[in-house]
C-alpha cells in the first residue's frame, strides 16, 4: 500500500436512470457503452484509470509534477467535448424511432474533481484506492448544483482542487453540507459554455509540413499529455528552451488558449508569440514576431502525434509576411539560421528532462 496526494476525478453520465427505465434495452445498452467508451478513451497519463461504476468512469493522478491546474481543467474539457461529440454523432447517424434513440439528447455529463490524499492498494490484478477524500469525491456527485445555479453540464471542483489548480477565479463558488464532512466549499465550471466557445472559434489554423518553410520533428518517450504541458506551460517551457531566461504570459481570457501571448526573454533578443488556434493535446498554432523586424511575422504550428512508444512533435514555421501580406525572404533567412540550432538544442534538453522525471 502506498499513500499519494493527487487529483480524484469522476466523469458521471447524467440522465442515466431515466434513460434506462424509459428506453428499449437492446438499443439503450449499446448507446451507453459507446458513451462510456469515449470517456475511457480520454483517460491516460497523467490520469490513471480506476474503475467504472455503472454510469461513471473514475480516475486519479499520482504524479506530483503533472498536471498543472491549467492542464487538469483542459483534461476535464476534453473529456466533456469528446462525450458531447460522440452524443451528437449518435443522434446524427440514427433514424431509429425507438425511445432509446430518441432520448439520447437527454443524456449529459458532469465531472467531479477533488484534490487530496488516498491510499493505493494492489488487489490481485487490479488497483484500488481508499480514504476519506475518496469518500468525499463520491459525495460530491450528489449535489443540487443544477437546481441552485441553472448549470446542467458542469465540472465541480472541491475548494482543495480549485486551490491546487490555482485558477479558481474563472469558476463560480458553491457549497453544500455533507454528512461527516460538514459544509464543503466547491467551485462550478460551466462545461457547456466551454463547448460552445470551442465550436464558435472552430476556424482551423494549422500548418501542414508542406505549408511551411522549415520543419523539425522530435520523438519523446513520454505521453502526449506530459509533452503538451511541457511545451505550453510557461513554468515548464522556461526550463528547456535554450538560452531563455524568463517567459511571461498574457492571458486575456484568464487561461491559456486563443489570444494568449508568450513573451520569451532570450539571451539574443526578446521573442513574442500570440496563440491563434488551440486544440488541446493535439496541436496549437501561433503568430510569431520577428525579433529584429516587428513588422514581420511568421505563423507556426506545434503538432503532437501519439506513437507506440511516446509522442512525436512536429514544429513547422510558415512564410514570413508584413501587415499587407508581402513576403519577406530576408526575414525568413534570418530566422531560420537561428531556428535550426535553437530547436535542436531545446528539444534535446526537453527530452532529457522528461526522461529524468520518469
Amino acid at each position: 500500500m502506498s499513500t499519494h496526494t493527487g487529483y480524484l476525478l469522476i466523469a458521471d453520465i447524467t440522465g442515466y436512470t431515466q434513460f434506462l427505465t424509459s428506453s428499449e434495452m437492446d438499443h439503450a445498452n449499446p448507446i451507453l457503452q459507446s458513451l462510456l467508451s469515449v470517456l475511457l478513451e480520454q483517460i491516460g497519463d497523467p490520469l490513471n484509470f480506476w474503475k467504472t461504476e455503472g454510469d461513471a468512469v473514475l480516475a486519479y493522478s499520482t504524479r506530483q509534477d503533472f498536471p498543472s491546474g491549467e492542464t487538469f481543467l483542459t483534461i476535464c474539457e476534453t473529456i466533456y467535448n469528446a462525450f458531447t461529440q460522440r452524443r451528437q454523432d449518435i443522434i446524427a447517424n440514427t433514424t431509429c424511432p425507438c425511445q432509446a434513440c430518441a432520448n439520447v439528447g437527454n443524456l449529459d455529463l458532469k465531472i467531479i474533481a477533488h484534490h487530496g490524499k488516498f491510499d493505493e492498494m494492489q488487489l490481485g490484478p487490479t488497483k484500488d484506492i481508499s480514504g476519506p477524500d475518496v469518500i468525499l469525491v463520491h459525495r460530491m456527485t450528489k449535489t443540487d448544483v443544477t437546481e441552485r445555479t441553472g448549470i446542467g453540464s458542469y465540472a465541480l471542483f472541491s475548494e482543495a482542487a480549485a486551490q491546487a489548480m490555482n485558477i479558481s477565479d474563472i469558476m463560480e463558488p458553491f457549497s453544500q453540507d455533507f454528512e461527516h464532512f460538514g459544509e464543503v466549499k466547491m467551485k462550478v465550471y460551466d462545461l457547456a459554455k466551454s463547448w460552445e466557445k470551442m465550436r464558435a472559434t472552430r476556424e482551423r489554423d494549422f500548418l501542414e509540413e508542406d505549408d511551411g518553410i522549415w520543419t523539425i520533428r522530435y520523438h519523446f518517450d513520454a505521453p502526449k499529455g506530459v509533452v503538451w504541458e511541457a511545451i505550453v506551460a510557461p513554468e515548464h517551457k522556461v526550463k528547456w528552451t535554450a538560452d531563455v531566461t524568463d517567459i511571461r504570459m498574457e492571458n486575456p481570457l484568464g487561461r491559456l488558449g486563443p489570444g494568449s501571448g508568450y513573451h520569451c526573454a532570450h539571451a539574443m533578443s526578446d521573442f513574442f508569440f500570440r496563440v491563434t488556434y488551440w486544440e488541446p493535446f493535439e496541436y496549437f498554432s501561433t503568430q510569431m514576431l520577428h525579433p529584429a523586424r516587428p513588422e514581420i511575422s511568421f505563423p507556426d504550428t506545434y503538432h503532437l502525434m501519439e506513437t507506440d512508444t511516446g509522442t512525436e512533435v512536429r514544429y513547422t514555421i510558415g512564410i514570413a509576411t508584413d501587415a499587407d501580406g508581402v513576403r519577406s525572404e530576408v526575414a525568413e533567412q534570418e530566422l531560420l539560421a537561428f531556428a535550426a540550432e535553437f530547436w535542436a538544442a531545446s528539444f534535446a534538453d526537453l527530452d532529457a528532462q522528461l526522461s529524468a522525471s520518469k
Side-chain angles (χ1 to χ4, degrees):
M1 180 184 296
S2 54
T3 300
H4 299 281
T5 299
Y7 290 104
L8 301 163
L9 179 145
I10 300 177
D12 186 13
I13 298 175
T14 59
Y16 173 84
T17 301
Q18 183 178 0
F19 178 77
L20 281 185
T21 56
S22 62
S23 302
E24 299 85 348
M25 295 303 293
D26 57 337
H27 281 196
N29 280 330
I31 288 170
L32 288 170
Q33 183 178 5
S34 178
L35 292 172
L36 284 169
S37 294
V38 78
L39 297 179
L40 287 167
E41 289 167 8
Q42 307 309 310
I43 303 301
D45 199 324
L47 290 176
N48 301 300
F49 170 70
W50 178 11
K51 60 183 175 181
T52 59
E53 288 183 347
D55 56 350
V57 172
L58 288 67
Y60 62 98
S61 173
T62 57
R63 295 178 66 104
Q64 298 302 306
D65 50 345
F66 293 105
S68 68
E70 179 69 44
T71 297
F72 187 70
L73 182 57
T74 301
I75 289 171
C76 294
E77 290 176 323
T78 302
I79 291 171
Y80 179 78
N81 292 346
F83 172 88
T84 304
Q85 187 62 60
R86 179 65 59 84
R87 184 184 61 190
Q88 287 191 336
D89 290 344
I90 293 171
I91 294 170
N93 292 310
T94 184
T95 57
C96 176
C98 78
Q99 284 296 107
C101 294
N103 291 336
V104 175
N106 295 328
L107 295 171
D108 210 336
L109 187 73
K110 64 184 179 187
I111 296 176
I112 311 300
H114 178 46
H115 188 269
K117 292 184 178 180
F118 51 89
D119 293 322
E120 185 181 45
M121 303 171 289
Q122 188 72 41
L123 300 174
T126 63
K127 286 185 178 180
D128 200 3
I129 60 175
S130 65
D133 286 312
V134 176
I135 297 172
L136 177 57
V137 76
H138 278 84
R139 295 281 177 87
M140 289 170 59
T141 64
K142 306 297 183 183
T143 66
D144 50 5
V145 168
T146 299
E147 292 79 4
R148 287 167 53 186
T149 68
I151 301 173
S153 309
Y154 59 84
L156 180 63
F157 301 93
S158 66
E159 185 69 23
Q163 289 180 356
M165 294 165 71
N166 196 30
I167 50 176
S168 61
D169 56 337
I170 64 172
M171 303 175 190
E172 183 174 332
F174 180 82
S175 67
Q176 188 160 321
D177 186 80
F178 296 118
E179 186 180 6
H180 303 304
F181 291 95
E183 192 78 8
V184 175
K185 294 182 178 180
M186 293 166 273
K187 297 282 187 174
V188 182
Y189 183 73
D190 192 330
L191 290 170
K193 276 188 180 179
S194 170
W195 163 253
E196 291 301 328
K197 188 181 297 183
M198 185 194 77
R199 294 178 66 196
T201 58
R202 204 60 182 168
E203 184 178 350
R204 199 164 187 256
D205 185 2
F206 179 82
L207 288 176
E208 299 283 0
E209 186 167 351
D210 290 343
D211 299 327
I213 58 173
W214 184 82
T215 289
I216 184 172
R217 291 176 177 268
Y218 203 102
H219 188 271
F220 300 95
D221 295 329
K224 259 204 308 190
V226 173
V227 177
W228 170 269
E229 180 166 33
I231 289 176
V232 304
E235 65 270 25
H236 297 303
K237 193 178 183 75
V238 73
K239 297 176 182 177
W240 57 265
T241 41
D243 297 322
V244 169
T245 57
D246 187 34
I247 297 179
R248 298 181 183 179
M249 293 296 303
E250 175 190 344
N251 293 316
L253 299 179
R255 55 180 304 213
L256 275 167
S260 292
Y262 289 87
H263 173 194
C264 302
H266 187 271
M268 184 184 76
S269 184
D270 285 353
F271 290 81
F272 295 88
F273 306 79
R274 180 72 60 186
V275 177
T276 59
Y277 197 87
W278 192 256
E279 184 75 36
F281 307 115
E282 298 297 328
Y283 80 93
F284 70 99
S285 297
T286 78
Q287 197 71 20
M288 172 178 55
L289 297 182
H290 189 291
R293 304 172 187 266
E295 73 281 4
I296 304 294
S297 65
F298 302 75
D300 59 10
T301 292
Y302 301 73
H303 186 199
L304 281 66
M305 295 157 282
E306 188 174 5
T307 71
D308 291 340
T309 57
T311 306
E312 181 179 80
V313 174
R314 174 183 63 82
Y315 174 66
T316 297
I317 297 175
I319 294 170
T321 58
D322 62 17
D324 297 322
V326 178
R327 183 173 184 175
S328 174
E329 295 188 17
V330 172
E332 291 173 2
Q333 292 169 5
E334 291 171 343
L335 181 66
L336 297 189
F338 164 82
E341 182 177 348
F342 172 81
W343 283 108
S346 295
F347 280 159
D349 284 348
L350 174 57
D351 192 20
Q353 290 179 25
L354 292 176
S355 296
S357 69
K358 288 181 180 178

